[in-house]
Amino acid sequence: MFDPDHLKDINFEKYNRIAIAFSGGLDSSVLLQGLASIPEYKKKLCAIHVNHGISPNSESWLNHCEQACASMGVNFVPLKINLEDNLKVSENLLREARYETILSWLEETDVLCTAHHQDDHIETVLFRILRGTGIKGLSGIEKFSQIDGIDLIRPLISYSKKDLLDYANKFKVNWIEDESNEDLSISRNFIRRKVIPNLKNDNWPEYKKSISYLSSKAKEANEILDEIAYFDLKLCASESLDKLSILKIKELSNARAMNVLFTWLSLNTHLGVSNKLTDQVYKSIILASESSNPVVTFGKRGEKGSFQIRRFNNFLHHLPLTETESLSDKKVWKWNFNKPLELPTGTLSMQVTLGKGISTLLTKSGISIKGRAGGERCKPEGRSKSQKLKKLFQEYGVPPWARDRIPLVYVGDQLAAVSDLWVCEEFVAKKDERGIVLSWTDSLDNQ
C-alpha cells in the first residue's frame, strides 16, 4: 500500500511551491492527500486543476476539486483551456495544452508533481512498443525529469494502481471517475482494458516485473548511448552545436552516426524527435550529392522548436523554421536612419563614422531597401570590376539560404550596399567624409 512517509525522501525543501496536477481522479487525489499529510509540504502545496471544458461534467469536477482542497486547507488553482472551434481534439493535443497551461502558471523556483504510477509506466512502455519506438522510448516514465526548465517529479511511479486504491479505501479518499477512461478508441484505454487483462493469466503472471526489467535495461543502454553521442558530438561539432561536420559523421559507423544525429537533433528542440526524422536527415542530406541543396524540415513554420536542416561547405546546419524565408524584391522599405529598420528577415542598424561606409553626402534624402531579385551587380571597394552578387556570395561563403534574406541598400535606383557585407565603390565615403556603417542581424541568429 502507498505510504506517504516515503514522500519525505524527495527533496521538496528547495522549491518555493509544490504544484500538483490535480484532476480529482483516484491517482492525483491520493498524491494530494499524501503530500498534504506532511506539514512542511502542505504549506507549499498548490493543486492545479485544468478545465478542458469538453466533458459535460467539467463544472462538477471543478467544484469537487475545489471542495477537496478546501477540506484539506490546500491552495486551489483553477485553470481553463480555451480550444479553438472546429479543432480536432486528440490525446496529444489535450496533453500538450494541459502542460502548456500549467507551465504558464509556474515559476522557475516551483516543482510540478504528477500522479503517474507503476501501471501507467507499464502501459506507456507497451503503447510505445506497439506504436514503434527506439531504445529511448522503452525507458518509459521517469521519476525525475524536466519540462521547459521546470522540474517534474512523479512521486508515485513505484506504486501500483492497487497500492493507491488500497490507500484510498483505507483513508476514505473521495475521487471522481472520468467517463473518457471507458472510451476504447483512446489507445491507452484499449491497452488498459483489453491488452493488460489478458497478460494477467497464468502465462505471464510476472509481466510487470518483466516489462520493468526491460525498461531499466533500456535506461542503462540509453545512458551508454548518450555517453557515446556526446563524445561523438565533440568530434563532429564546430564552435557551436548549430552545425556538424558531414565528413566527421561519415567516418563513424552507421549506428554511431544515427546515434549522434538523434542526440544533436534532440538537443536543438523541445519537440520529440523520431528515428524516422534522423534517418531522413542521414539519407536525404548527408548522403546527398555535392551539387544538391537538400533541406529537411520539422514542425510548423514560426512554431517554437520547429527547425530545418541544410548542408553547406560539408556541414549540417540547424536553423529555425521561420515564417519568412526571403526578403521580397517587390516591396520597398524607406529608411531615414532615425532608428533600426525591422525587416521580415532581420534588423538593419547603422552608425556614423569618418571615412567608412556609405557617404552621407549621397544619402541626404534617405535610402531604400529591397530583397534580391537576381542579376544585381556590385563593385566592392578595391575590386577591379563589378561582379554579380551570386558570385560574391559564393566567394565569401554566404550560405544559399541566407542570400535571399539579406537586404540590398539603394540610393535612388542604384545599388549602394549589400547589408553590411559590401559598399559599392562609387558610394564609399572618402577619408574626410562622414559615412554610414551598416550592421545586419538575421532573425535566424536570434532563435
Side-chain angles (χ1 to χ4, degrees), residues 1-2 30 118 158-168:
M1 187 173 72
F2 167 62
V30 168
Q118 186 185 59
S158 61
Y159 291 97
S160 69
K161 184 81 169 184
K162 184 179 182 303
D163 291 331
L164 305 186
L165 186 59
D166 289 345
Y167 176 89

Side-chain angles (χ1 to χ4, degrees), residues 12 16-20 31-48 69 72-77 105 111 113:
F12 282 120
N16 285 347
R17 296 183 298 185
I18 304 171
I20 297 178
L31 177 59
L32 181 62
Q33 185 160 314
L35 283 170
S37 69
I38 304 172
E40 58 267 35
Y41 294 170
K42 182 177 178 179
K43 61 185 179 181
K44 295 183 176 185
L45 275 180
C46 300
I48 302 178
C69 289
M72 286 183 275
V74 172
N75 183 33
F76 179 64
V77 182
W105 184 84
V111 61
C113 295

Side-chain angles (χ1 to χ4, degrees), residues 372 389-398 403 422:
R372 189 164 73 112
L389 294 191
K390 181 178 179 180
K391 290 290 185 182
L392 289 172
F393 285 143
Q394 290 172 344
E395 180 182 341
Y396 280 78
V398 178
R403 297 171 189 174
W422 312 288

Side-chain angles (χ1 to χ4, degrees), residues 371-386:
R372 189 164 73 112
E376 295 89 352
R377 303 181 71 90
C378 176
K379 181 185 177 185
E381 184 180 12
R383 291 292 183 109
S384 60
K385 61 180 181 179
S386 68

Side-chain angles (χ1 to χ4, degrees), residues 215-233:
S215 180
S216 67
K217 288 301 177 183
K219 185 177 180 181
E220 291 176 7
N222 279 319
E223 290 174 359
I224 296 171
L225 289 173
D226 284 345
E227 287 181 15
I228 295 172
Y230 284 111
F231 176 81
D232 289 340
L233 274 175

